Amino acid sequence: MIVTVTLNPSLDRAVEVDSLGRGEVIRAAAAHLDPGGKGVNVSRALLANGVPSVAVLPSGGDEGNQLIRLLKAEGVEVLAVPISGRTRSNITLAEPDGTVTKINEPGPAMCRAEFDEVIDRVLVQAGGADWVVLCGSVPPGLPADAYAQLCRKLRAAGVRVAVDTSGPALREAALAGATLLKPNRDELAEVVGTPLKDLDDVVDAAQRLREWGAGTVVASLGADGAVLVDAEGVRTGTCPVARPRSTVGAGDALLAGFLAAGAQGAAALAEGLAWGAAAVSLPGSRMPGPADLRRHDVTIHP
């Protein structure tokens, strides 16, 4: 069983448009409303492929109630912590060529008491978990090391922890000894403070995170695939998508697939790439199921 923690979940409305013109009246070709947030998406992807998962998240206002209803409709087991703020709503505008424009709200502030309640819920669930996955942005009101605080408690209890976040929170998670980090190219460049011009730069940046204390690093590179850097060395892989529809949640699906396949070696990287590519071929933030996976399209390079 895999427990996910999303401190800043959302309702994600994805709108497909023929073209995006500033100041114009645009008619939507299609629209989708999905539960959102990185950890939420990891749980959704795992469950869509038969892997047990529990999603722990704060919830507030009518939007929070709607988020919980949408998750339960997909069969996701939710442990919601009530908060005084309102769960955020995000908008994604997707064009036919795969261009995606996102408008993300900052989310509600969380107080220390609300965060402590989340920690308590997670620690109870972690006892029977294979992994705890800490994902997404840190909401207003909490320090940058919020995920790192939880990571240290879990690591002290012998629990494997995966973290997918950005900025100072990503650096703090590495210093806290996260078992696995899953940044994308931009997040990786930001945290090391260096532009990543080629694959060697990506590998060097991933090794920097490992020097800080992280175990394994999986860096997602969009259409260029992903890079796995761990104690065994470096592996890269790609999985092309013939008709991309939305990149929202693709990195979350990649992480879910990597964890579901054992989180180690080329086979896990290949599974993650297949899940991530499948998510790109679906509208909005839909998560792929077994029928969507095209494992034969994956190529792994040593």
Side-chain angles (χ1 to χ4, degrees):
M1 193 262 289
I2 296 176
V3 176
T4 67
V5 183
T6 311
L7 291 182
N8 205 5
S10 63
L11 288 173
D12 280 0
R13 185 175 299 279
V15 181
E16 297 185 35
V17 298
D18 291 333
S19 63
L20 183 60
R22 187 178 179 208
E24 298 180 6
V25 176
I26 303 170
R27 297 190 182 278
H32 312 273
L33 181 63
D34 296 305
K38 285 180 175 291
V40 164
N41 289 335
V42 171
S43 280
R44 293 170 64 216
L46 290 168
L47 290 165
N49 290 274
V51 181
S53 180
V54 174
V56 181
L57 51 85
S59 171
D62 292 339
E63 291 84 353
N65 293 333
Q66 187 173 17
L67 171 63
I68 293 171
R69 288 196 299 271
L70 289 171
L71 286 169
K72 289 185 175 179
E74 293 189 16
V76 178
E77 182 180 349
V78 183
L79 292 179
V81 174
I83 59 172
S84 60
R86 173 185 60 83
T87 296
R88 62 180 178 154
S89 296
N90 297 334
I91 299 173
T92 298
L93 302 174
E95 299 176 71
D97 65 354
T99 300
V100 172
T101 303
K102 295 194 67 179
I103 304 172
N104 289 350
E105 293 184 3
M110 282 186 69
C111 68
R112 183 71 212 191
E114 292 167 340
F115 181 49
D116 286 342
E117 179 64 21
V118 171
I119 291 176
D120 290 343
R121 295 284 186 94
V122 174
L123 292 177
V124 169
Q125 291 296 313
D130 297 308
W131 284 87
V132 173
V133 187
L134 314 177
C135 290
S137 58
V138 176
L142 294 184
D145 70 342
Y147 282 128
Q149 292 178 35
L150 186 48
C151 180
R152 291 188 182 94
K153 290 179 181 292
L154 291 165
R155 294 296 292 143
V159 179
R160 294 183 294 179
V161 183
V163 182
D164 183 356
T165 187
S166 59
L170 177 59
R171 176 184 173 87
E172 293 294 335
L175 294 171
T179 316
L180 167 65
L181 295 179
K182 208 294 296 170
N184 62 31
R185 189 201 311 263
D186 293 339
E187 293 163 348
L188 190 55
E190 179 188 14
V191 77
V192 299
T194 305
L196 307 182
K197 300 177 182 178
D198 53 30
L199 188 60
D200 287 341
D201 288 344
V202 172
V203 172
D204 289 344
Q207 293 286 21
R208 181 93 62 87
L209 294 186
R210 297 191 69 246
E211 291 169 2
W212 289 345
T216 296
V217 178
V218 177
S220 55
L221 307 177
D224 294 326
V227 175
L228 166 62
V229 182
D230 60 15
E232 303 301 320
V234 178
R235 298 173 183 85
T236 65
T238 56
C239 186
V241 178
R243 183 173 176 248
R245 297 187 66 181
S246 174
T247 58
V248 179
D252 309 326
L254 186 154
L255 175 56
F258 185 77
L259 293 173
Q264 185 175 7
L269 178 61
E271 190 73 355
L273 285 164
W275 289 34
V280 172
S281 69
L282 297 172
S285 57
R286 301 278 182 89
M287 290 294 107
D292 302 307
L293 304 181
R294 300 290 182 266
R295 295 182 177 90
H296 58 272
D297 291 333
V298 176
T299 302
I300 299 295
H301 309 281

